[in-house]
Amino acid sequence: PSIEDKVVRFKERERHQQTLTRLNETIMQRDKLERKLSRAHRGVCPYCNRTFRDLQLHMQCKHKEKI
């Protein structure tokens, strides 16, 4: 293999690694949002981490500026 071939393969590997890194970051963000949504479905406030029977009412009263 020539030097040019090695350079091309190196650049391809580098691009592949960057793509994998972006994919992993995206997956981590998705998982974090899914956990937050799951907790909200169970009544856990995403801001004060307390559990409420009526999370919607709590959000309107205590965190109005954030919704």
Side-chain angles (χ1 to χ4, degrees):
S2 69
I3 300 251
E4 290 83 17
D5 292 339
K6 290 179 180 180
V7 168
V8 168
R9 276 188 276 143
F10 176 78
K11 288 182 179 181
E12 286 175 356
R13 270 189 248 129
E14 193 173 72
R15 278 196 304 267
H16 181 69
Q17 186 61 41
Q18 290 172 350
T19 302
L20 288 176
T21 300
R22 283 194 310 271
L23 177 63
N24 287 336
E25 289 171 354
T26 302
I27 290 170
M28 287 176 19
Q29 288 174 347
R30 183 199 64 202
D31 290 347
K32 185 177 179 180
L33 289 173
E34 284 178 350
R35 281 192 302 274
K36 197 173 210 178
L37 182 61
S38 175
R39 288 174 53 89
H41 281 297
R42 292 185 307 232
V44 179
C45 176
Y47 299 104
C48 57
N49 293 319
R50 293 174 53 204
T51 303
F52 297 92
R53 283 192 181 174
D54 192 347
L55 181 59
Q56 184 177 1
L57 179 63
H58 165 74
M59 294 296 289
Q60 291 171 348
C61 294
K62 300 296 181 180
H63 306 293
K64 193 172 188 170
E65 70 284 349
K66 296 178 183 176
I67 56 172

